[in-house]
Amino acid sequence: MLPFLALISSFGVGLCSFAFLLAAIVCRRRAWPALQHHLPSVRGVLIAFGLALGLALLNFWFSAGALLRDLEKPSRMLAAATVMLTVLALRPSRKALWWGLIAGSMAGAAFIAYQRWGMGVERPGGLINSITFGDIVLCMGLLCLAGMLDFAGRAAIWPGLGALAGLTGSIASGTRGGWVAIICAIVVLVRYGHVLRGRLRKGLALLALALMVSTYFIPQTGARMRIDQGISDIQQYMNGGETYTNVGVRLELWRGALRLIERRPLLGANAATEREELAALVAAHQVHPYVLEFPHYHNDILQALVFGGVVGLLVWGATLVAPFLFFVRLLNRPESAAAGVTAPALAGLLLVLSYFSFGLTEVIFWSVRSCMFYALMLFLLIGLCLNAQERTTP
């Protein structure tokens, strides 16, 4: 239900997070012993999300002008660990998740394609903005590639179609920054390509990735126009021309962010101070005035540095690095070669790398929905990995 409802409803992510919380409370007697058994494996991930909440609490207590809503995302992301508890206690079938991803990718692609080519919306975004929609549907499509490991024979065509749908949805949204995730996915599949056993699985994976490349040569997709426009925007910006373009705005925001980081490199600035100092840069003609119109800096790394300094960057980075190391360790273990472990581990690795890639040109962790999709899917996949590891451990 989580991936299926994430893009086609406004309540899906919140409903699923609440349902997992209730299930973890009901199943606590089975969940807690299972967590204690696996705690050495997941301690780093839990500490990372705990540190994020701890830093938010410190900022709330000691920073002037801090708001209670600043605690919402880190607290709910840590609470998403109840998903792992529920999975450990109830031991659900992985097929439910894979079918949810397949259905979610297809439904999301159909929704956004209708807006793009049926309604004529140039940059459709479903019920959210076009960038976040395109990134999440692409992420779900990439996770479908990992799900092919749990489908025997010709049944693997279903997650393959889910992957194609995810890529189609991303193309229809018109987003470009998320395509960096395709490069990361290719690197991962080359590194762990041996887990995609069989010609059908490998062929579908290559077909899905080749689709993204082929869109450059299909005018109706608008991909070539968007890429050419991006190159033109960079050239204009570097040559002192018009800067108020899609890419030019990002470059100007990044320039302003770097100047702010120079002033407070260790702990960053609170929201009020950041606005004041950015306005001062505008008044000094060091950045263009339009930067004040944007609520964030279109880059997760710079966003973390501006508002948290080096400390904030390390804490934010830990929520990506700790899960990354968890999944890599599983994939590199010889005893984890069984598909029961590698499928969710590969999906988890693709999830983390996708979000990191999205954050290079967008603050993907800006909205609560995007944050919760990451945290819920992450702990869900970790729980599935731990369950599968038990079955493959002698």
Side-chain angles (χ1 to χ4, degrees):
M1 294 296 291
L2 171 62
F4 175 65
L5 294 176
L7 293 175
I8 61 173
S9 72
S10 58
F11 60 84
V13 173
L15 175 65
C16 290
S17 63
F18 184 65
F20 275 118
L21 176 61
L22 288 180
I25 294 173
V26 172
C27 302
R28 63 188 181 278
R29 293 184 178 179
R30 279 184 288 173
W32 186 247
L35 175 62
Q36 289 179 314
H37 175 68
H38 292 291
L39 192 57
S41 299
V42 298
R43 183 181 288 114
V45 179
L46 293 174
I47 289 174
F49 283 88
L51 287 173
L53 177 57
L55 182 61
L57 286 169
L58 289 175
N59 288 334
F60 177 74
W61 285 329
F62 297 107
S63 178
L67 301 174
L68 188 61
R69 68 186 180 194
D70 296 335
L71 302 177
E72 180 182 7
K73 287 187 287 188
S75 60
R76 290 185 63 181
M77 290 178 75
L78 179 59
T82 55
V83 180
M84 179 178 62
L85 293 175
T86 304
V87 172
L88 289 174
L90 300 181
R91 308 181 70 84
S93 169
R94 291 189 302 274
K95 283 289 185 70
L97 174 62
W98 304 137
W99 282 115
L101 282 166
I102 294 167
S105 297
M106 291 182 173
F111 187 10
I112 204 75
Y114 172 72
Q115 286 188 320
R116 173 71 184 273
W117 293 295
M119 299 176 62
V121 180
E122 184 178 355
R123 293 294 307 279
L127 302 175
I128 49 181
N129 68 77
S130 59
I131 298 176
T132 304
F133 190 104
D135 287 345
I136 293 179
V137 75
L138 173 60
C139 180
M140 291 198 297
L142 294 178
L143 266 57
C144 286
L145 291 177
M148 286 194 294
L149 290 168
D150 280 342
F151 287 76
R154 293 184 178 180
I157 194 171
W158 288 108
L161 291 175
L164 291 172
L167 294 173
T168 302
S170 176
I171 295 167
S173 72
T175 183
R176 295 167 297 191
W179 295 353
V180 179
I182 300 293
I183 299 174
C184 291
I186 292 174
V187 173
V188 169
L189 292 177
V190 169
R191 172 64 179 84
Y192 299 104
H194 60 282
V195 303
L196 294 176
R197 301 179 308 279
R199 294 181 180 178
L200 178 60
R201 291 184 180 86
K202 292 180 179 179
L204 288 171
L206 291 174
L207 178 62
L209 296 175
L211 174 67
M212 182 61 73
V213 178
S214 67
T215 58
Y216 181 80
F217 303 98
I218 303 175
Q220 289 78 5
T221 65
R224 182 168 186 168
M225 181 184 68
R226 296 280 295 162
I227 293 173
D228 292 345
Q229 181 188 32
I231 296 173
S232 176
D233 290 351
I234 294 173
Q235 291 174 340
Q236 283 185 169
Y237 185 89
M238 299 303 293
N239 294 330
E242 175 62 43
T243 64
Y244 196 77
T245 60
N246 287 330
V247 177
V249 165
R250 282 175 167 81
L251 294 175
E252 191 68 7
L253 285 168
W254 296 349
R255 186 160 71 109
L258 291 174
R259 293 183 182 275
L260 294 181
I261 293 166
E262 290 175 355
R263 299 185 178 189
R264 303 173 187 271
L266 184 60
L267 297 176
N270 60 41
T273 303
E274 177 266 343
R275 285 290 103 176
E276 291 174 0
E277 294 185 349
L278 189 61
L281 290 177
V282 170
H285 304 289
Q286 296 184 32
V287 292
H288 285 274
Y290 59 72
V291 298
L292 295 171
E293 302 172 10
F294 295 87
H296 58 70
Y297 290 92
H298 280 278
N299 182 284
D300 271 320
I301 296 174
L302 294 178
Q303 186 80 6
L305 283 168
V306 168
F307 291 98
V310 174
V311 174
L313 177 64
L314 292 175
V315 170
W316 167 80
T319 61
L320 292 167
V321 173
F324 174 86
L325 295 176
F326 171 84
F327 293 121
V328 167
R329 280 195 296 266
L330 283 181
L331 288 170
N332 289 338
R333 288 176 182 172
E335 63 269 21
S336 297
V341 177
T342 54
L346 186 61
L349 187 59
L350 289 171
L351 172 70
V352 174
L353 289 176
S354 292
Y355 262 71
F356 171 77
S357 303
F358 300 152
L360 295 177
T361 55
E362 172 68 1
V363 180
I364 190 63
F365 288 101
W366 179 256
S367 70
V368 174
R369 182 188 302 212
S370 182
C371 287
M372 289 308 298
F373 181 81
Y374 173 75
L376 293 170
M377 287 296 300
L378 178 70
F379 283 110
L380 199 160
L381 290 167
I382 288 176
L384 293 176
C385 286
L386 296 176
N387 285 344
Q389 196 174 17
E390 285 185 1
R391 289 192 291 267
T392 57
T393 301

